[in-house]
Amino acid sequence: MAFTAKDVMALREKTGAGVMDCKKALTDTDGDMSKAADLLRERGIAKAEKKASRIAAEGIVLCYTEGKKGVLIEVNCESDFVAKNPKFTEIAKEVSKVIVANEPKDVETLLNCALENGTVEDYLKSQIAVIGEKIAVRRFELFKTEGFLASYIHLGGKLGVMLDMAGEATDAAKEVAHDITLQIAFTKPAYLTKDEVSAETLEREKAVLKQQAMNEGKPEAIAEKMVMGRIKKFYEENCLMEQAFIKDDSKKVSDLLKSANVSIAKFAFYVMGEK
């Protein structure tokens, strides 16, 4: 499989490895981007890709809550100047209200929902005339909770987190929920618990970690034993419930939740423009 200079730069952006290392990895894997990324990790040149590692758009991420419902939404535009305009934020909020009211299943359905004298799509077109740039709803997630919601916006809309908390919304629980939104924004976990990691992902990770150890000169039998310890670290880095609390690493996130007698039903975070 042939590859281009653009592929090399994409792999470099994805892994943080040097240009020549990326080129060699793509050569050795016949241009397969996924295999090349794994190979760079096996060689100790790159770390595992974080969920939010690639930024490729302008716009904002916004959290909107209304009672027991909440929306995490990303709305894109063409320039950072427009993204910082309060009017643009208001547009994202108006669309979020429609999502809460109508519960559309996807962006296409949302665009056909009623708003003002037409549809959401008509509304966005009318706002393009006001803003002077293309406006597009890229994605959203609707939350409906039996407990309470917590949210956090970082860097003026560059990153947003929403949590569905199970349990009573006491002051202690709200404080814990806020701390966990900060935790998610900082660590960007891919999963809530270990059980969410697919067997395929786990086997792939084990294969990479085993090859890493063997490349370090360890015999295969020893390398296989080392994998278990390194898988534990993988869980600690990627699974929210296994992570050390960023404000006190003597505690895990799971300990923090127990202290407030609450749990997490689900969470989501968006980085504006990711992937």
Side-chain angles (χ1 to χ4, degrees):
M1 184 189 302
F3 62 90
T4 66
K6 187 176 180 180
D7 296 327
V8 174
M9 297 312 294
L11 182 61
R12 184 175 187 275
E13 183 181 0
K14 180 179 180 180
T15 64
V19 172
M20 295 309 296
D21 289 322
C22 290
K23 187 174 181 180
K24 189 174 189 308
L26 284 166
T27 299
D28 293 345
T29 58
D30 294 324
D32 188 306
M33 187 73 71
S34 180
K35 290 180 179 178
D38 284 348
L39 186 59
L40 286 168
R41 291 186 59 212
E42 290 172 4
R43 292 170 176 172
I45 297 170
K47 293 184 178 180
E49 180 190 7
K50 283 292 184 179
K51 180 180 177 182
S53 63
R54 299 182 65 189
I55 310 301
E58 297 297 341
I60 59 169
V61 173
L62 180 135
C63 295
Y64 174 76
T65 58
E66 191 176 301
K68 293 283 189 178
K69 293 183 181 181
V71 174
L72 182 64
I73 188 171
E74 178 184 346
V75 182
N76 293 149
C77 56
E78 296 177 43
S79 70
D80 187 53
F81 176 77
V82 164
K84 292 177 179 177
N85 187 327
K87 176 62 178 175
F88 186 71
T89 301
E90 188 59 32
I91 292 168
K93 185 176 179 180
E94 287 301 311
V95 174
S96 297
K97 290 179 180 178
V98 176
I99 296 170
V100 166
N102 293 272
E103 301 183 12
K105 62 180 181 179
D106 52 31
V107 172
E108 184 179 355
T109 308
L110 167 64
L111 293 176
N112 289 307
C113 290
L115 177 60
E116 295 186 348
N117 298 318
T119 64
V120 170
E121 185 172 18
D122 295 329
Y123 170 72
L124 291 177
K125 287 179 180 177
S126 71
Q127 296 307 306
I128 289 172
V130 175
I131 291 289
E133 288 187 6
K134 181 180 178 181
I135 303 169
V137 178
R138 179 161 181 253
R139 54 182 172 160
F140 66 86
E141 185 155 351
L142 174 66
F143 285 69
K144 294 190 290 183
T145 185
E146 296 295 325
F148 65 98
L149 299 173
S151 61
Y152 172 67
I153 292 293
H154 187 57
L155 295 175
K158 297 297 184 185
L159 184 151
V161 178
M162 186 163 280
L163 275 176
D164 179 354
M165 301 294 295
E168 187 179 353
T170 62
D171 288 343
K174 289 179 180 179
E175 183 177 353
V176 163
H178 176 68
D179 281 340
I180 292 175
T181 62
L182 299 181
Q183 174 95 16
I184 294 168
F186 181 75
T187 63
K188 301 177 178 63
Y191 311 97
L192 177 58
T193 68
K194 293 191 292 186
D195 292 339
E196 292 181 359
V197 182
S198 69
E200 181 183 1
T201 297
L202 195 58
E203 288 307 309
R204 177 182 170 187
E205 189 67 20
K206 286 179 179 179
V208 169
L209 294 174
K210 179 181 175 182
Q211 192 60 51
Q212 276 182 358
M214 292 178 67
N215 288 346
E216 293 166 5
K218 304 294 190 297
E220 184 173 359
I222 299 298
E224 288 179 350
K225 291 180 180 179
M226 290 175 65
V227 165
M228 299 315 297
R230 294 184 179 184
I231 280 292
K232 183 175 183 292
K233 185 178 180 182
F234 169 81
Y235 284 139
E236 289 170 350
E237 289 179 349
N238 292 280
C239 302
L240 179 61
M241 296 296 286
E242 301 301 315
Q243 289 182 347
F245 180 37
I246 55 174
K247 291 186 177 180
D248 180 359
D249 61 11
S250 69
K251 299 177 181 177
K252 292 172 68 171
V253 169
S254 55
D255 298 325
L256 199 64
L257 291 164
K258 288 177 184 176
S259 71
N261 195 31
V262 288
S263 60
I264 300 172
K266 70 172 183 174
F267 76 92
F269 75 91
Y270 289 168
V271 173
M272 191 278 299
E274 70 178 0
K275 302 192 186 301

